[in-house]
Amino acid sequence: MGWVLLGAGLLLAIYTLLRHGLRRVPPLRARPTLRGRTAIVTGGSGGIGAATALELARCGARVVLAARSIPRGEAAARRIRTETGNAEVLFMHLDLASLRSVRAFASAFLRQEPHLHLLINNAGVSAGGTTEDGYSLPFQVNHLGHFLLTQLLLERLQSCAPSRVVIVASRAHCAGRLRLDTLGRPPPGPLSTFQDYCDSKLANVLHARELATRLQGTEVTCYAVHPGFVNTELFRHAPLWLKPLFLPLVWLFFSDAAEGARTSVHCATHDGLERFSGRYFADCRLQEPWPPARDDRLALALWEASERLVGLAGAGGSLSPAPAAVVQ
């Protein structure tokens, strides 16, 4: 019996060392004051989004949880209000898999809310499928829906400047390959869904880069962030055969949602980041993304293609590129 207990103790010690020694978790920072500031967090009903919304509410911000599930969104808003004592936390319906829903959300928000200082484009999916608009589910939810949402809210962000846009990307962008002639369609091959997810994350990083270029001089800044490998519901649609293999990796290497939210909160609130607009952050630190994510010509081409796909090409409200503007 003694050997069994000793063995169990050793296994627990090894597990603890591996879990806390191999994961890099950004340090906790002093909480800023955000009273009088309004934030939108997409995907705010759970995971990293709910953790981000919780932290912004603790800082005193008025927080709008924008999510697809009405019961989960309303429950998350109630939970955050109770936990923080901040009564200014509310839910609004947003389904990024529907461009019609994105437009309805933006219209309702602009009617109801006079201010917007922080837009956290956090929601994401990894499952395959096709949206009502005819685009692949990961690419529309992760990129196109957020692209349209940002454009529709940009005038309000500019009128409330200084303001910030945070786009939750992923280190998976390093495997992304954007095919502009078939943008929005699932890529071919046996790993189509995984490739589609990686492509959408590359689009996230490039979106932040081109947006920063176009927003120079406006006091609206934007940042792409890698939240780390986080144990959320993002991969809940993984095949059943893969989950037993995946679970030990999740236990050992993945952060929890609160830890995964730290880089988003850092880029949303930390002073002195303005000169890094358009750049990529991980572990609350500036990082260099993969070379294709630093390609300004690809960023511009993606922007123009995205405008066409969401129906903004030639729209009067679209941002024009700033001449000779380069994100380093």
Side-chain angles (χ1 to χ4, degrees):
M1 186 65 178
W3 287 106
V4 173
L5 291 174
L6 178 61
L10 285 172
L11 288 173
L12 180 61
I14 291 169
Y15 168 78
T16 303
L17 286 171
L18 284 172
R19 179 170 172 80
H20 296 287
L22 294 176
R23 292 186 308 142
R24 296 178 62 188
V25 179
L28 288 169
R29 299 177 183 269
R31 220 169 252 141
T33 298
L34 298 178
R35 295 197 182 279
R37 300 181 72 77
T38 299
I40 292 174
V41 182
T42 70
S45 62
I48 297 171
T52 301
L54 175 65
E55 189 59 27
L56 295 176
R58 282 175 173 154
C59 295
R62 179 175 176 82
V63 183
V64 175
L65 309 185
R68 182 176 59 86
S69 170
I70 295 174
R72 290 185 62 192
E74 290 177 341
R78 283 194 301 271
R79 184 171 64 250
I80 293 171
R81 287 195 297 266
T82 300
E83 189 167 336
T84 63
N86 183 345
E88 293 194 289
V89 178
L90 60 148
F91 164 76
M92 291 181 66
H93 179 258
L94 168 65
D95 182 0
L96 289 158
S98 163
L99 297 180
R100 181 168 44 87
S101 175
V102 174
R103 292 179 183 277
F105 170 87
S107 178
F109 178 87
L110 293 172
R111 284 197 310 271
Q112 297 171 24
E113 299 290 331
H115 304 295
L116 179 60
H117 305 92
L118 299 172
L119 173 59
I120 315 295
N121 288 336
N122 164 86
V125 299
S126 62
T130 303
T131 69
E132 66 178 47
D133 302 292
Y135 303 127
S136 78
L137 183 65
F139 199 79
Q140 177 163 333
V141 171
N142 299 353
H143 170 63
L144 289 175
H146 282 126
F147 178 87
L148 176 60
L149 179 67
T150 303
Q151 290 297 97
L152 295 175
L153 298 177
L154 207 49
E155 187 175 323
R156 183 61 51 85
L157 284 162
Q158 289 175 304
S159 70
C160 296
S163 53
R164 295 184 181 184
V165 179
V166 177
I167 300 172
V168 178
S170 167
R171 198 159 284 154
H173 79 271
C174 67
R177 296 193 304 272
L178 292 180
R179 305 160 190 80
L180 295 173
D181 56 335
T182 59
L183 202 66
R185 294 185 225 158
L191 298 177
S192 174
T193 299
F194 174 73
Q195 186 62 56
D196 208 6
Y197 176 77
C198 296
D199 294 350
S200 72
K201 295 292 109 177
L202 175 57
N204 289 156
V205 182
L206 290 167
H207 179 201
R209 190 173 183 88
E210 180 65 18
L211 182 60
T213 297
R214 292 168 181 254
L215 287 174
Q216 288 191 60
T218 66
E219 290 191 283
V220 181
T221 55
C222 59
Y223 312 90
V225 306
H226 169 56
F229 298 104
V230 182
N231 185 10
T232 69
E233 294 183 345
L234 180 64
F235 295 100
R236 62 188 178 274
H237 299 293
L240 287 175
W241 64 265
L242 184 60
K243 291 184 178 181
L245 304 175
F246 196 57
L247 195 57
L249 296 177
V250 170
W251 285 343
L252 285 175
F253 300 111
F254 283 35
S255 304
D256 62 30
E259 293 165 341
R262 288 184 193 171
T263 303
S264 294
V265 174
H266 172 80
C267 287
T269 63
H270 195 65
D271 289 335
L273 297 184
E274 289 77 12
R275 69 186 187 278
F276 300 121
S277 185
R279 303 289 294 277
Y280 173 77
F281 283 74
D283 296 323
C284 296
R285 294 195 300 272
L286 188 65
Q287 306 262 326
E288 280 299 307
W290 206 247
R294 304 195 301 268
D295 185 333
D296 290 320
R297 285 182 296 181
L298 181 58
L300 175 59
L302 172 67
W303 182 284
E304 293 173 344
S306 299
E307 283 185 321
R308 290 193 297 273
L309 292 177
V310 302
L312 287 179
S318 181
L319 279 175
S320 300
V326 178
V327 178
Q328 297 299 324

